[in-house]
Amino acid sequence: MGLHWQDWPDAVRALLRGGCVIPAHPLALDERRQLDPRHQRALTRYYLAAGAGGLAVGVHTTQFAIREVGLYEPVLRLAAETAAQATRPVLLVAGAIGRTAQAVAEARVARGLGYHAVLLSLAAMKGASEDEIVAHCQAVAAEMPLFGFYLQPSVGGIPLPARFWQRFAAIENVAAIKVAPFDRYATLDVLRGVALAGAEARITLFTGNDDHILADLLTPFAVRAHGREVTLRFKGGLLGHWAVWTKTAVDLLGRVHAAPPGEPALLALDARVTDCNAAFFDVANGFHGCIAGIHEVLRRQGLLRGIWCLDPKEGLSAGQGAEIDRVYRDHADLADDDFVRRHLNEWLS
């Protein structure tokens, strides 16, 4: 018997519907490129102490290769056990990848560990027909509530038209969609699909567009479908970018929720946040150092011992460290280093 979003505790459902910060959880490794449980727990404690409403584990930022080295279940378990010690509800989202058999199996593992939803990557369905992709989504939704995921095609995602998103949104166990094509036209395709399905009251929209995080959160999107106009809003974000400087992200989302749409003072910060993201995600080098860039910020704060990735070829690109130095100078007010410094020993204990 699968899990349905209606089975969630009321507090978890309210957390999703209201919108929250969901960091994409990195993987803490030691110098042998093996799991470092102490720092892995410290990262989870940091996100929860910073006020994150949820955690996304087993996703790209966690490194997809955890599956090949037998770390998928242990890493998900560590995050779930640490989150269970919190005194408030935490929305747990597990990444699920691969073709249908693999994605269903991963959803079952996540469900067994107490996760609430799966963020379903469709990258492995490249070359499949729309009918096949919809059937794939339906099969995983029979196991767990879905967090849809529109991944930018430049890093392996599949171009998906509004017609697909209408069909996807019609799946009753879809609870949310992470919209991350880094493309305004494609972003609107998702929103129009949700409106065409009449699913705007059920599906909560989370931005994954790292190039326009605050702009997404501050914009009321007027979408016309079936002769009616629907205004859709992004309520939160599920982002690798929010794996660093998370306390600031939580504070900014709180300000967004309290501000009128399009608040100029907040909208002006969009370009600054994007500038930081360009350095962290190594945009200048086609995102090659995106995971290592996140690790580098966490290493500087003491939350990681190093920037090691499972793949020895993954690391900072030439000049990326200098770019991170620059955004630290130019945008020091967006960092949360003081917050981390005050609590680091507690999280590492």
Side-chain angles (χ1 to χ4, degrees):
M1 187 72 176
L3 178 71
H4 194 277
W5 58 264
Q6 290 178 327
D7 301 325
W8 293 348
D10 290 344
V12 170
R13 193 160 48 246
L15 197 57
L16 178 87
R17 298 289 184 243
C20 59
V21 166
I22 304 180
H25 205 305
L27 179 68
L29 298 176
D30 61 22
E31 62 275 10
R32 297 172 299 167
R33 301 185 194 276
Q34 295 182 354
L35 179 64
D36 179 348
R38 180 176 178 232
H39 285 80
Q40 190 72 18
R41 290 191 191 93
L43 284 174
T44 303
R45 290 167 178 161
Y46 159 53
Y47 298 134
L48 298 180
L55 301 167
V57 190
V59 295
H60 176 257
T61 306
T62 325
Q63 302 178 52
F64 289 141
I66 58 172
R67 293 155 174 86
E68 300 164 17
V69 296
L71 286 178
Y72 181 75
E73 190 272 348
V75 169
L76 262 64
R77 182 181 298 278
L78 266 176
E81 289 176 349
T82 306
Q85 298 168 9
T87 57
R88 60 179 177 83
V90 179
L91 176 65
L92 295 177
V93 181
I97 67 170
R99 288 278 178 158
T100 304
Q102 179 179 348
V104 167
E106 291 185 357
R108 288 174 179 163
V109 169
R111 189 178 75 224
L113 293 172
Y115 280 72
H116 301 105
V118 291
L119 180 72
L120 183 61
S121 171
L122 299 177
M125 301 301 291
K126 191 170 294 184
S129 69
E130 184 178 295
D131 286 346
E132 289 172 326
I133 298 173
V134 170
H136 169 78
C137 296
Q138 290 171 330
V140 182
E143 300 292 334
M144 286 276 282
L146 296 188
F147 231 103
F149 184 16
Y150 197 172
L151 174 66
Q152 57 170 318
S154 64
V155 291
I158 304 170
L160 297 164
R163 181 186 63 251
F164 166 80
W165 290 109
Q166 179 181 2
R167 296 178 67 184
F168 179 82
I171 299 171
E172 211 279 331
N173 208 17
V174 172
I177 300 175
K178 170 180 172 171
V179 185
F182 287 38
D183 181 310
R184 296 290 91 185
Y185 303 112
T187 294
L188 289 173
D189 281 341
V190 180
L191 304 187
R192 192 155 60 88
V194 171
L196 285 167
E200 64 273 7
R202 169 170 49 84
I203 294 176
T204 306
L205 297 171
F206 282 71
T207 183
N209 286 321
D210 300 80
D211 58 343
H212 276 301
I213 297 171
L214 285 175
D216 271 359
L217 292 167
L218 287 161
T219 301
F221 291 87
V223 180
R224 294 190 175 186
H226 297 314
R228 66 190 182 108
E229 183 170 300
V230 180
T231 300
L232 299 175
R233 297 289 303 270
F234 285 95
K235 296 293 187 68
L238 194 163
L239 295 152
H241 181 89
W242 280 354
V244 298
W245 297 359
T246 310
K247 181 68 167 63
T248 303
V250 171
D251 293 344
L252 284 174
L253 183 61
R255 289 173 60 189
V256 167
H257 285 171
E263 170 62 37
L266 279 171
L267 197 55
L269 286 174
D270 182 66
R272 294 181 58 205
V273 172
T274 303
D275 189 31
C276 296
N277 181 264
F280 301 159
F281 272 42
D282 194 26
V283 173
N285 296 287
F287 304 99
H288 170 78
C290 60
I291 293 176
I294 293 296
H295 287 186
E296 173 61 13
V297 177
L298 296 170
R299 184 198 65 78
R300 294 182 186 201
Q301 294 181 313
L303 285 158
L304 289 181
R305 291 174 53 209
I307 66 168
W308 304 291
C309 296
L310 288 169
D311 183 351
K313 295 178 182 178
E314 287 195 48
L316 294 178
S317 294
Q320 189 180 0
E323 271 297 282
I324 294 173
D325 290 340
R326 180 187 65 79
V327 299
Y328 252 106
R329 291 192 305 269
D330 291 348
H331 307 292
D333 58 314
L334 298 180
D336 66 356
D337 292 39
D338 289 342
F339 170 71
V340 174
R341 194 175 299 112
R342 291 195 302 272
H343 298 284
L344 182 60
N345 289 337
E346 167 193 340
W347 300 331
L348 287 168
S349 64

